[in-house]
Amino acid sequence: MLRNLTLTLLLILCSLPVQAEGFITRLLNHPVPGGVAVVGLPEQSEAPRASYQGKPVLTIREDGERWIAIVGIDLKTKPGQQQLALANGGQIGFEVRSKRYEEQHITLRNKSQVNPAPAQLARIQRELDAQLAAYAEFSPRQPSNLLLDRPVPGALSSAFGLRRFFNGEERNPHSGLDFAAATGTPIKAPAAGKVILTGDYFFNGNTVFIDHGQGLISMFCHLSHIDVSLGDEVERGGLIGKVGATGRATGPHLHWNISLNGNRVDPAIFIGAFKP
């Protein structure tokens, strides 16, 4: 009797549909500090709404089959259980795994870029406030693509998450991905979007922010020239500017940040170059 019941249950389980991981999940699901968690959502006819730590998250229908949330995880997050809040009041848990990041030691000739003078602090705070406001943007558009294009050709020079020491003093971890490229190299949009901020900033130099949709924001720093204006709509592959060494930079390169639901995450994930 028990054996027959066991066989019946096995047959039922084997007959249930298996939800295979889609391409986006395989590409993006790296739930570590500074990474991305892809979380399956309940089935419904309309796009579900969800939030993480009080901020809305990107939701899409993967492969036309299931709704998923794509959640950016802050670099300071401790490994362990996290909760995604649903608009209907429910919650879905996901696990953040551990990851160790390396150190990087940099020597700067301009010592004010390590310890800015008091007169420069007001400027730095104004620029920080403007950038944080840009990172907080959440437009309803769907990103044109989530496998992003590399904005410039060339080798990756400094990885995301590096603990950074300037002239021996520890500062914030590296919040983007650096590409080694010569001055004047064209920088192209990795996905379509709208230019929501430009400026010449103390640390970042010439900078462009692009909103790709639903809290997915790119920032490009140290440009020698900016080729877009505030409010411009940029197509995938469209020219943004040119590589330079403005701001706090020891040589020409492109620093590319990606922010997702207000958290800076590793751009290498979105170009298929993530290293666990």
Side-chain angles (χ1 to χ4, degrees), residues 145 147-157 177-180 186-191 220 236-238 240 254 256 267-268 270-275:
N145 49 293
L147 173 57
L148 301 182
D149 300 330
R150 296 188 179 217
V152 293
L156 306 180
S157 54
L177 186 64
D178 287 355
F179 290 81
I187 302 167
K188 298 182 179 181
F220 308 89
R236 179 181 183 179
I240 298 167
L254 173 66
W256 178 31
F270 292 84
I271 59 174
F274 177 76
K275 295 181 179 178

Side-chain angles (χ1 to χ4, degrees), residues 16-40:
L16 292 174
V18 177
Q19 188 74 63
E21 285 189 348
F23 170 75
I24 296 301
T25 297
R26 295 193 300 272
L27 173 71
L28 299 183
N29 190 41
H30 298 287
V32 298
V36 173
V38 177
V39 183

Side-chain angles (χ1 to χ4, degrees), residues 43-66:
E43 181 55 36
Q44 59 185 66
S45 57
E46 298 180 350
R49 290 184 293 118
S51 62
Y52 174 58
Q53 298 179 335
K55 298 176 182 177
V57 299
L58 193 164
T59 61
I60 64 166
R61 198 165 186 83
E62 183 177 35
D63 297 337
E65 294 184 359
R66 66 166 186 158

Side-chain angles (χ1 to χ4, degrees), residues 78-95:
K78 302 294 184 185
Q81 190 74 7
Q82 296 289 316
Q83 296 294 325
L84 185 70
L86 303 178
N88 64 9
Q91 290 190 327
I92 301 177
F94 63 93
E95 191 77 15

Side-chain angles (χ1 to χ4, degrees), residues 93-160:
F94 63 93
E95 191 77 15
V96 174
R97 303 192 294 261
S98 62
K99 178 174 170 59
R100 181 180 176 274
Y101 291 96
E102 303 295 332
E103 294 182 1
Q104 183 181 44
H105 292 260
I106 299 171
T107 300
L108 295 173
R109 295 178 182 175
N110 185 349
K111 293 181 172 54
S112 72
Q113 292 181 332
V114 180
N115 294 297
Q120 297 167 322
L121 294 179
R123 173 192 173 185
I124 292 168
Q125 187 60 53
R126 286 194 305 272
E127 294 173 353
L128 176 61
D129 291 343
Q131 291 172 82
L132 290 176
Y135 283 132
E137 290 278 341
F138 191 90
S139 60
R141 78 164 79 204
Q142 285 277 352
S144 63
N145 49 293
L146 287 170
L147 173 57
L148 301 182
D149 300 330
R150 296 188 179 217
V152 293
L156 306 180
S157 54
S158 291
F160 173 89

